[in-house]
Amino acid sequence: MNTSIVPAFRLRLRTQPALRLDLSGFVPQALDRETPSGVARRTLWHGNVQVPIGEFFDVEAMAADGPELVFEGDLSRCDGLGRGLDGGRIRVEGDVGDYVGAGMRAGEIVVTGSAGMLAACEMAGGRLEVGGDVGDYAASALPGDMDGMRGGLFIVRGKAGARFGDRMRRGTAVVFGDAGDFLASRLVAGTITVAGAVGAHCGYGMRRGTLIFAGPQPEPPPTFVPTGHDVQVIWTLLARSLAVHGGPFAALAAGRPRRFVGDLAADGKGEWLLPA
């Protein structure tokens, strides 16, 4: 029996699932006072059949100073990891599938590899960091819903797919690599900053919010217009908050940004900041 009151386990993928494996709801807080054998007996959806976790993972307890799960292996066929997380920490040493961090409200998720589609969709708080790339619709809304990411910090060290931040409403997203088409489409609020190149139709239907280009400067579309306002004070504060991420974001404060507002085709008042 695990006498520790802190649920902390290491799960090593032993066998690749033949179908998609749904890890939704498998979060540290749900494993309080659980034993490794008890964790292994818990069931997950594998396609349309529930199977014990132990059928795919080796489970062992580990020392930690708080609730924590560590996954090892290629989890690219495992979806919903950290979905609805409300505290604690999850670390994935490898790739992960779709919906990582979807709807999370607190806590931290770190993925050393890449993530599939819909990462951080409807995320409301906490911190999610992906060391590699993320697929389409990251930081966006779940299919059929109206609001995308609603809070928290989302960091992508690699590239982002299409529709990143679609309908995003609040929070901060930092992308070190390139972003695909329709970046920040229908953005309602929040801040997205990108260090790489962006695809076509950037800011399409943007309503409010802020888009910062820390790397290549795209040509604003005709539905975005320059304002000529002096934004140096707010820029200094914003750039200072982004400098903690290092790399191309560390030197933002030295620039003087041009400000464009749009998408006027959607009666939008979103802003593009392009530091010179």
Side-chain angles (χ1 to χ4, degrees), residues 83-95:
R83 190 168 185 169
L85 183 70
D86 199 20
R89 189 171 190 269
I90 297 176
R91 178 177 175 84
V92 180
E93 297 176 354
D95 296 338

Side-chain angles (χ1 to χ4, degrees), residues 125-148:
R127 181 180 186 275
L128 170 58
E129 178 175 343
V130 177
D133 303 335
V134 294
D136 297 343
Y137 290 97
S140 69
L142 287 166
D145 284 356
M146 295 296 291
D147 297 329

Side-chain angles (χ1 to χ4, degrees), residues 17 51 82 88 111 122 136 138 158 175 185 202 270-271:
V51 297
V111 179
E122 301 190 11
D136 297 343
V175 181
S185 56
C202 181
E271 66 177 359

Side-chain angles (χ1 to χ4, degrees), residues 70 159 161 203-204 235:
V70 175
K159 299 178 182 178
Y204 169 81
W235 172 251

Side-chain angles (χ1 to χ4, degrees), residues 104-105 120 122-127 148-154 168-172:
M104 65 180 289
R105 297 181 293 275
E122 301 190 11
M123 176 181 178
R127 181 180 186 275
M149 181 176 167
R150 303 160 187 178
L153 174 62
F154 180 28
M168 180 174 162
R169 180 167 287 275
R170 197 172 291 118
T172 301

Side-chain angles (χ1 to χ4, degrees), residues 192-272:
I192 298 176
T193 182
V194 181
V198 300
H201 310 300
C202 181
Y204 169 81
M206 194 171 167
R207 305 300 298 271
R208 292 183 183 274
T210 301
L211 192 50
I212 301 169
F213 302 93
Q217 307 282 293
E219 184 65 28
T223 52
F224 281 75
V225 296
T227 65
H229 293 153
D230 184 357
V231 295
Q232 197 58 40
V233 173
I234 186 64
W235 172 251
T236 299
L237 297 173
L238 188 56
R240 187 179 299 165
S241 70
L242 295 173
V244 299
H245 302 296
F249 305 103
L252 283 176
R256 296 185 65 87
R258 295 177 296 144
R259 181 175 185 264
F260 291 76
V261 170
D263 183 353
L264 299 182
D267 198 23
K269 298 178 181 177
E271 66 177 359
W272 285 23

Side-chain angles (χ1 to χ4, degrees), residues 3 21 42 44 48 56 58 70 73 79 86 103-104 110 113 130 135 144 159 183 186 196 205 233 238 240 269 271:
T3 57
L21 191 63
R42 290 189 171 232
L44 300 170
N48 61 355
F56 296 104
D58 292 324
V70 175
D79 302 327
D86 199 20
M104 65 180 289
V110 176
V130 177
K159 299 178 182 178
L183 170 68
R186 304 181 290 182
V233 173
L238 188 56
R240 187 179 299 165
K269 298 178 181 177
E271 66 177 359

